[in-house]
Amino acid sequence: MTTPRRPQPAPVPLPGARPGRDPDRAIKRGPRRVSAEVVAATQRDRLFDGLVQEVATRGYDNARVSDICHAAGVTRPAFYALFTGKEDAFLAAYRHGIAVVSQLMESAYRDAGPAWPDAARAALRTLLEVLASVPAFARMALVEVDAAGPDARRERDALLASFRRFFADAGPGPVADGVDRETLVSTVVGGLHTTIRGRVAQGRAEDLPLLLPVLTYAATAPFLGTEGATRATRPVRPDDGPSAAAPCAPNTHP
């Protein structure tokens, strides 16, 4: 059996993976000035990190713009040059982070091979390991999103709906008569989300990879039956390849 290829990490870091005051991203003063576009992009990235860390620590309601700016080492005028306010910055960081996670999941799903159970398990493993590698983003994106307003909740609902694409190759499955497949997939996705969110809300994001067997079983059983889901379900083995930690997450290597 050929060992599935592990995806290469995306070059874009997940918001919250680095300290906002990361000295490597300090704006250097001197005769060789960087462009205004580069300055703005650097400040935006640092604000993403500062926002994620402050929201994860204080909660969305209690994280002030001044706290975010201090954590990022960016002035309030620079913040308001990029965002209209805290909600706008939250949405931008959320969208950016979800795009990074989705890219990693897509790569894992594609690289795992043609068998849907292997691909689904690889995407789930990547999701769990990436969120576990940056607990602050996991809390911001799964828990605090509920407090960030209706636009953020709509973004969250759209994200969950988009995850149905990972079930497109699952086949009709051994479902009972009268069971609508789209509703079934939405129910499975909702259950996976609720379980992952619950673990993060308990402050146990680092333990998310331990959920891989049960979530693999829950995701595949409606389509493969109990025997097929049992075959698809197993803990991570050495031949599965390295962890899919987010780029720039602590204790990871390039």
Side-chain angles (χ1 to χ4, degrees), residues 182-204:
E182 288 302 310
T183 303
L184 175 63
V185 171
S186 295
T187 301
V188 171
V189 170
L192 299 176
H193 170 262
T194 298
T195 302
I196 295 170
R197 183 193 183 281
R199 193 61 58 97
V200 174
Q202 294 169 2
R204 299 170 61 194

Side-chain angles (χ1 to χ4, degrees), residues 90 94 98 131 136-145 156 193:
F90 182 99
Y94 180 86
I98 291 303
L131 292 177
F137 179 79
R139 184 164 191 90
M140 173 262 196
L142 274 76
V143 178
E144 295 302 327
V145 66
R156 186 265 322 280
H193 170 262

Side-chain angles (χ1 to χ4, degrees), residues 76-199:
R76 285 174 65 91
F79 175 93
Y80 284 108
L82 293 166
F83 309 110
T84 60
K86 181 173 71 172
E87 181 178 354
D88 184 38
F90 182 99
L91 287 170
Y94 180 86
R95 290 168 182 149
H96 179 77
I98 291 303
V100 173
V101 174
S102 295
Q103 179 187 356
L104 290 167
M105 291 179 68
E106 289 277 5
S107 295
Y109 186 89
R110 182 178 61 249
D111 292 346
W116 177 74
D118 293 336
R121 179 182 177 280
L124 267 174
R125 180 193 174 193
T126 297
L127 173 64
L128 296 173
E129 291 181 344
V130 167
L131 292 177
S133 71
V134 188
F137 179 79
R139 184 164 191 90
M140 173 262 196
L142 274 76
V143 178
E144 295 302 327
V145 66
D146 293 332
D151 287 343
R153 291 190 289 273
R154 279 192 288 271
E155 291 277 346
R156 186 265 322 280
D157 292 344
L159 170 67
L160 294 180
S162 76
F163 281 162
R164 292 201 296 262
R165 69 190 185 277
F166 293 111
F167 294 83
D169 301 322
V175 298
D177 291 341
V179 175
D180 177 72
R181 189 182 188 284
E182 288 302 310
T183 303
L184 175 63
V185 171
S186 295
T187 301
V188 171
V189 170
L192 299 176
H193 170 262
T194 298
T195 302
I196 295 170
R197 183 193 183 281
R199 193 61 58 97

